Amino acid sequence: MLTDALQAEMLAVARAAREASYAPYSRYRVGAALLGADGRIFGGCNVENAAYPEGVCAEGGAISAMVLAGVRKAQAVLVVGAGAHQITPCGGCRQKLREFCDPHTFLVLAVNEDGQQQQWTLEQLLPHSFGPDHLP
Ligand code: THU
């Protein structure tokens, strides 16, 4: 259950993570906060690279932090990006998140710089997805 207090905490983590973003090429700074099944929140920021395709998204960093902490299931992610448009996780990140959640209940919250928010389930953003259960 994503209470207002929890969402506020996730927003604070994502905003702090965004401050740490390394985005000298796109100048598009992103912060993410991933809520683990155990209630802990893991932050991540985008980290770009002079060899452009080697950059990593904020969501990927948050997933790595969660897995490193021994948590393998997530309940929700909150992503903060720049500008008026709410950021949505890129296609690759949707699939990465899919690995560690139930897409029908996992919530993706997107917040813009003004604090305006939109939310979806992962199933809405990545319908009929391929996941671990498909593998024998
Ligand atoms: N980016 C993220 O970190 N997460 C997303 O969901 C979309 C895009 C980053 C990648 C790159 O560093 C910058 O935003 C511009 O694409």
mmCIF file of all heavy atoms in Angstrom, residues 26 28 30 46 48 57-59 87-90, ligand 1:
data_model
loop_
_atom_site.group_PDB
_atom_site.id
_atom_site.type_symbol
_atom_site.label_atom_id
_atom_site.label_comp_id
_atom_site.label_asym_id
_atom_site.label_seq_id
_atom_site.Cartn_x
_atom_site.Cartn_y
_atom_site.Cartn_z
ATOM 1 N N SER A 26 23.621 14.655 -22.091
ATOM 2 C CA SER A 26 22.226 15.013 -22.384
ATOM 3 C C SER A 26 21.765 16.205 -21.540
ATOM 4 O O SER A 26 20.817 16.892 -21.893
ATOM 5 C CB SER A 26 21.305 13.827 -22.100
ATOM 6 O OG SER A 26 21.152 13.626 -20.707
ATOM 7 N N TYR A 28 20.137 15.912 -19.086
ATOM 8 C CA TYR A 28 18.816 15.506 -18.598
ATOM 9 C C TYR A 28 19.031 14.633 -17.366
ATOM 10 O O TYR A 28 19.415 13.475 -17.458
ATOM 11 C CB TYR A 28 18.069 14.731 -19.691
ATOM 12 C CG TYR A 28 16.624 14.460 -19.341
ATOM 13 C CD1 TYR A 28 15.665 15.458 -19.479
ATOM 14 C CD2 TYR A 28 16.233 13.222 -18.850
ATOM 15 C CE1 TYR A 28 14.347 15.226 -19.133
ATOM 16 C CE2 TYR A 28 14.913 12.978 -18.504
ATOM 17 C CZ TYR A 28 13.982 13.989 -18.653
ATOM 18 O OH TYR A 28 12.670 13.753 -18.307
ATOM 19 N N VAL A 30 18.086 12.549 -14.062
ATOM 20 C CA VAL A 30 16.984 11.690 -13.635
ATOM 21 C C VAL A 30 17.310 11.069 -12.277
ATOM 22 O O VAL A 30 18.448 10.670 -12.028
ATOM 23 C CB VAL A 30 16.737 10.553 -14.662
ATOM 24 C CG1 VAL A 30 15.516 9.728 -14.267
ATOM 25 C CG2 VAL A 30 16.557 11.119 -16.073
ATOM 26 N N ASN A 46 20.859 8.591 -13.184
ATOM 27 C CA ASN A 46 21.480 8.250 -14.470
ATOM 28 C C ASN A 46 22.964 8.630 -14.449
ATOM 29 O O ASN A 46 23.356 9.647 -13.867
ATOM 30 C CB ASN A 46 20.730 8.846 -15.663
ATOM 31 C CG ASN A 46 20.582 10.349 -15.632
ATOM 32 O OD1 ASN A 46 20.543 10.945 -14.565
ATOM 33 N ND2 ASN A 46 20.508 10.962 -16.798
ATOM 34 N N GLU A 48 25.943 8.909 -17.208
ATOM 35 C CA GLU A 48 26.267 8.860 -18.633
ATOM 36 C C GLU A 48 27.756 8.585 -18.852
ATOM 37 O O GLU A 48 28.535 8.517 -17.896
ATOM 38 C CB GLU A 48 25.811 10.173 -19.296
ATOM 39 C CG GLU A 48 24.305 10.328 -19.177
ATOM 40 C CD GLU A 48 23.742 11.537 -19.902
ATOM 41 O OE1 GLU A 48 24.512 12.440 -20.282
ATOM 42 O OE2 GLU A 48 22.509 11.581 -20.094
ATOM 43 N N CYS A 57 20.642 4.208 -16.940
ATOM 44 C CA CYS A 57 19.484 4.970 -16.476
ATOM 45 C C CYS A 57 19.375 4.941 -14.955
ATOM 46 O O CYS A 57 19.919 4.035 -14.291
ATOM 47 C CB CYS A 57 18.206 4.389 -17.072
ATOM 48 S SG CYS A 57 17.984 4.713 -18.824
ATOM 49 N N ALA A 58 18.623 5.868 -14.425
ATOM 50 C CA ALA A 58 18.410 5.962 -12.980
ATOM 51 C C ALA A 58 17.750 4.691 -12.434
ATOM 52 O O ALA A 58 18.110 4.201 -11.351
ATOM 53 C CB ALA A 58 17.533 7.175 -12.678
ATOM 54 N N GLU A 59 16.801 4.161 -13.179
ATOM 55 C CA GLU A 59 16.086 2.964 -12.711
ATOM 56 C C GLU A 59 17.039 1.781 -12.569
ATOM 57 O O GLU A 59 16.932 0.989 -11.629
ATOM 58 C CB GLU A 59 14.969 2.594 -13.691
ATOM 59 C CG GLU A 59 13.860 3.624 -13.797
ATOM 60 C CD GLU A 59 14.134 4.674 -14.881
ATOM 61 O OE1 GLU A 59 15.313 5.002 -15.136
ATOM 62 O OE2 GLU A 59 13.157 5.175 -15.465
ATOM 63 N N ILE A 87 8.392 12.138 -16.830
ATOM 64 C CA ILE A 87 9.258 11.141 -17.454
ATOM 65 C C ILE A 87 8.596 9.773 -17.290
ATOM 66 O O ILE A 87 7.937 9.523 -16.284
ATOM 67 C CB ILE A 87 10.639 11.153 -16.768
ATOM 68 C CG1 ILE A 87 11.569 10.135 -17.422
ATOM 69 C CG2 ILE A 87 10.554 10.920 -15.270
ATOM 70 C CD1 ILE A 87 12.989 10.212 -16.887
ATOM 71 N N THR A 88 8.738 8.930 -18.279
ATOM 72 C CA THR A 88 8.342 7.527 -18.080
ATOM 73 C C THR A 88 9.570 6.670 -18.337
ATOM 74 O O THR A 88 10.411 7.026 -19.176
ATOM 75 C CB THR A 88 7.212 7.087 -19.031
ATOM 76 O OG1 THR A 88 7.649 7.251 -20.376
ATOM 77 C CG2 THR A 88 5.942 7.869 -18.784
ATOM 78 N N PRO A 89 9.695 5.560 -17.624
ATOM 79 C CA PRO A 89 10.871 4.708 -17.814
ATOM 80 C C PRO A 89 10.989 4.274 -19.272
ATOM 81 O O PRO A 89 9.983 3.959 -19.923
ATOM 82 C CB PRO A 89 10.590 3.509 -16.902
ATOM 83 C CG PRO A 89 9.650 4.027 -15.864
ATOM 84 C CD PRO A 89 8.811 5.053 -16.562
ATOM 85 N N CYS A 90 12.221 4.254 -19.778
ATOM 86 C CA CYS A 90 12.444 3.841 -21.165
ATOM 87 C C CYS A 90 12.097 2.360 -21.317
ATOM 88 O O CYS A 90 11.910 1.650 -20.322
ATOM 89 C CB CYS A 90 13.898 4.104 -21.570
ATOM 90 S SG CYS A 90 15.074 2.928 -20.863
HETATM 91 N N1 THU B 1 17.026 8.259 -18.561
HETATM 92 C C1 THU B 1 16.839 7.652 -17.360
HETATM 93 O O1 THU B 1 17.709 7.684 -16.485
HETATM 94 N N2 THU B 1 15.670 7.002 -17.151
HETATM 95 C C2 THU B 1 14.660 6.929 -18.054
HETATM 96 O O2 THU B 1 13.671 6.288 -17.789
HETATM 97 C C3 THU B 1 14.765 7.628 -19.340
HETATM 98 C C4 THU B 1 16.058 8.249 -19.640
HETATM 99 C C5 THU B 1 18.294 8.956 -18.799
HETATM 100 C C6 THU B 1 19.216 8.295 -19.783
HETATM 101 C C7 THU B 1 20.062 9.465 -20.222
HETATM 102 O O3 THU B 1 21.126 9.620 -19.314
HETATM 103 C C8 THU B 1 19.143 10.656 -20.122
HETATM 104 O O4 THU B 1 18.048 10.238 -19.320
HETATM 105 C C9 THU B 1 18.621 11.164 -21.455
HETATM 106 O O5 THU B 1 18.088 10.139 -22.195
#
